[in-house]
Structure formats: structure tokens, C-alpha cells
Amino acid sequence: LIGTDFSIYFTEPHKAREGYQQVFEKGFVTDYPLTIRHQDGRLVDVLYNASVYKDVQGNVLGVFAAARDVTAQKQAAQYARSLIEASLDPLVTISPEGKITDVNEATMKVTGLAREELIGTDFSVYFTEPDKAREGYQQVFEKGFVTDYPLTIRHRDGKLVDVLYNASVYRDLYGNVLGVFAAARDVTDSKRVMREFSETKNFLDNILQSSTKYSIIGKDLNYRILSWNEGARLNYGYSEEEIIGRDSNILHSPEDLTPGGTVDKMLAKAYEEGLAEGEFLRVRKDSSRYVASVVVTRRNEYAGNSIGYLLMTTDITEKKKAEEKL
């Protein structure tokens, strides 16, 4: 090694020469990245820190350089980067000045802009409420984090995407704050489902205001009762606290609960076709019975998977008695 050209042991000899020339010009270089090539071809990533050294009269004699092997750190960084790029959620880093310093592929998709177009621009301009976006990352610097911060991203074609941001500050090895790392979760579908649920609830509430004779009961696929309205309380005698979580079979007569009987058939039809209706003997809390007209609909989650049933029942005992008399 002694007497040979320093630069020839690197994958980029020109860059190595530029590095030590900078040391003579500036007096030092810090964390100068190079890759050493071993004689067997193996590569080692290093960061050089170098400074000039002088004799007692102050004359420059040469350069003293120390290299830190950062191969493992670089591999870890590459692995972390691959995880970031694989994320379906938009991820972004923001400087203390509010400028974007890095983004992943998901961020490019949700904004419709290339990484080069995003980096260096104001983070807040990609939202429908820029002031609210600025307040969000300012809160991160003040508190250290924000959780489920609601914003709406505007794609370059005008499409809107509702997101919840979770963000925290990130620091260097010495604890100095470098910026904000933010991850956004797309909640557009969730908000749509909640809106539809609210509209359905309002519709059912309107029905209940006009008449409390309708019992509206929700139950899961295992027949556990999940929801119970005022009409159900009046018709069956159970309060919501007493009934939620219990098996709905307590509301049926034993005759209807035989394996493969009317209840099983009706629920099977509702599950397969989405809707079924029929008449049953229902049992109240005080063990009295009444004839009920029942409409069952299958309940699906937003992805389309079945999660249970919604039943609307009406007491038709008097109607049946009138028919029998007639």
C-alpha cells in the first residue's frame, strides 16, 4: 500500500481524489462517503473524516484520514427504505421549515406527483385545508407527536382522499431534532361507511318516532344480540343492558328452534339471498307469547363480508286473532 495512489483502492477513484483535495483546500472533510474495493472484489462502504497535519512550523505535511465502516448501517438503511416503499400508507419527512425532504411511492400515488416534484415544496399545499396542515406539523414540534390528525389530500386531478396522520419528530444521534416523520392512513372508505350507517340510523330513527311497535334488533352470525332499540324494549320487556350480548334464542318459542326448523330456514335464506320474512311465535321477558311478523336482512361490512343480521319485527297478534274470528 505504501507509495501507491490512495484513490485506486476505491470504486470511484475520481471522487476519492476530490475528497483529499478538499482536505487541502478546506483543512478537513467530514463523513465523506466512499466504497473500498478489497483485492478479492468485496466492497466496503465507509465514511471518511480527514484533516491536514503539519510540522512544528505549521507547514502542511499531508492528510490524516480515518474511515468508519458503515456497510451494516447502509444495509439497514436500504432495508428500512424498502419497508417504507412497500408501505401502502403515504409516508413523508418534513423539515422544521415545513418543506418535504422525502416521500415514498404511496405519497406519489395519492398526490399524482413525482418525488422530484414533491421534495423541497411546502407540505401543507397538498391539502384542502393548508392552515390546518401547518398547525398539525407545528403541533408535532411542540408536543413531539400527533395522533389521528384528520386531513384531506387533493390529488393533482382534483380527487380527494381523507386521511388520518400520525407523526413524530425524528432526531440525529445526538438528540437534535431533524424534522417530522408522518404517516397517513387512507380513511375515505371508512368515512363513507360511517356516513351510510348514519343515514340508515336516521332512517330507522324516523320510523321509530312514528311508531314504537317496530322492534329493530341486530345480531351477529352466532346469534348474539348486538343492538336493541326502544321498540324492542317495549315489545319484549328486556332493557338494552339486560339483553346485549345474549343469545337471541331466548326470544323464540321452543317450537321454532328445532334444528332445521323455521328459524334456521329463515336465517339461511337471509344469509344466501340477503332478505327473508315470515311469522313466528315470540317470547317476552315475562314468558308471555305473541305472534310477530319478521323481516330479516343480512348485514355486510364495507368489504362485502357477512357479519350478521338485522331484524325488524312487528306484533301482529291482534291481526291474527281478527283473522281467526273472521
Side-chain angles (χ1 to χ4, degrees):
L1 291 168
I2 294 174
T4 60
D5 189 326
F6 168 78
S7 63
I8 64 173
Y9 302 102
F10 300 93
T11 57
E12 298 176 276
H14 294 300
K15 184 177 179 181
R17 291 190 193 97
E18 289 173 7
Y20 70 72
Q21 287 167 359
Q22 285 182 32
V23 180
F24 286 115
E25 294 166 6
K26 300 177 181 179
F28 66 93
V29 294
T30 304
D31 291 341
Y32 193 84
L34 290 169
T35 301
I36 300 172
R37 180 182 283 111
H38 192 279
Q39 66 173 352
D40 64 8
R42 181 167 56 91
L43 302 180
V44 180
D45 294 310
V46 297
L47 288 179
Y48 264 101
N49 290 279
S51 61
V52 294
Y53 66 93
K54 305 178 182 182
D55 60 18
V56 291
Q57 285 79 36
N59 301 309
V60 173
L61 299 178
V63 168
F64 178 81
R68 171 68 54 83
D69 184 347
V70 293
T71 306
Q73 292 94 316
K74 190 171 181 180
Q75 289 173 345
Q78 290 171 342
Y79 176 67
R81 184 73 202 186
S82 67
L83 291 179
I84 289 171
E85 290 298 342
S87 173
L88 298 177
D89 293 334
L91 306 177
V92 61
T93 56
I94 312 161
S95 72
E97 296 74 34
K99 303 297 183 182
I100 294 174
T101 54
D102 200 5
V103 299
N104 70 339
E105 183 69 25
T107 304
M108 292 186 274
K109 287 181 179 178
V110 78
T111 59
L113 298 168
R115 180 178 281 108
E116 297 74 22
E117 296 176 278
L118 291 165
I119 291 176
T121 61
D122 190 325
F123 168 76
S124 63
V125 301
Y126 302 104
F127 300 92
T128 55
E129 299 176 274
D131 291 336
K132 185 177 179 181
R134 290 189 196 96
E135 289 173 10
Y137 71 74
Q138 286 166 358
Q139 284 182 32
V140 182
F141 286 113
E142 293 166 5
K143 302 178 181 179
F145 66 94
V146 296
T147 304
D148 291 342
Y149 193 85
L151 289 170
T152 301
I153 299 173
R154 179 182 285 111
H155 191 278
R156 72 187 312 173
D157 64 8
K159 176 186 173 186
L160 301 180
V161 179
D162 295 312
V163 296
L164 290 178
Y165 263 100
N166 291 279
S168 60
V169 295
Y170 67 95
R171 308 169 186 268
D172 62 18
L173 295 175
Y174 307 103
N176 302 309
V177 173
L178 298 178
V180 168
F181 178 80
R185 174 62 52 86
D186 185 344
V187 293
T188 306
D189 285 342
S190 299
K191 289 188 71 173
R192 176 182 56 77
V193 171
M194 289 301 294
R195 185 168 57 249
E196 291 175 356
F197 175 81
S198 178
E199 291 170 355
T200 301
K201 182 177 183 300
N202 291 338
F203 172 71
L204 295 177
D205 286 345
N206 290 334
I207 292 176
L208 293 176
Q209 287 172 7
S210 64
S211 175
T212 54
K213 71 178 182 180
Y214 293 102
S215 301
I216 299 177
I217 305 166
K219 59 183 180 180
D220 62 19
L221 296 175
N222 294 317
Y223 306 163
R224 285 184 309 133
I225 296 172
L226 303 179
S227 63
W228 188 258
N229 77 329
E230 179 64 13
R233 185 189 71 79
L234 293 173
N235 285 328
Y236 289 96
Y238 293 97
S239 68
E240 187 176 19
E241 293 74 18
E242 291 177 298
I243 201 71
I244 295 297
R246 296 184 67 177
D247 192 316
S248 64
N249 284 346
I250 64 171
L251 307 178
H252 294 280
S253 65
E255 303 93 284
D256 289 336
L257 288 174
T258 55
T262 52
V263 172
D264 284 348
K265 288 178 180 177
M266 187 173 184
L267 291 176
K269 183 178 180 182
Y271 187 87
E272 293 296 326
E273 301 178 13
L275 178 69
E277 54 187 319
E279 295 179 0
F280 300 91
L281 270 180
R282 292 288 193 161
V283 181
R284 294 189 175 95
K285 182 180 177 180
D286 62 7
S287 299
S288 63
R289 297 185 180 191
Y290 73 96
V291 182
S293 173
V294 182
V295 177
V296 184
T297 56
R298 185 185 65 228
R299 295 176 59 213
N300 297 333
E301 63 178 353
Y302 73 92
N305 301 313
S306 298
I307 57 174
Y309 306 95
L310 186 69
L311 295 84
M312 181 179 287
T313 68
T314 311
D315 185 347
I316 59 170
T317 305
E318 295 304 318
K319 177 185 174 184
K320 297 297 288 186
K321 287 180 180 179
E323 288 176 351
E324 288 173 5
K325 286 181 180 179
L326 182 64

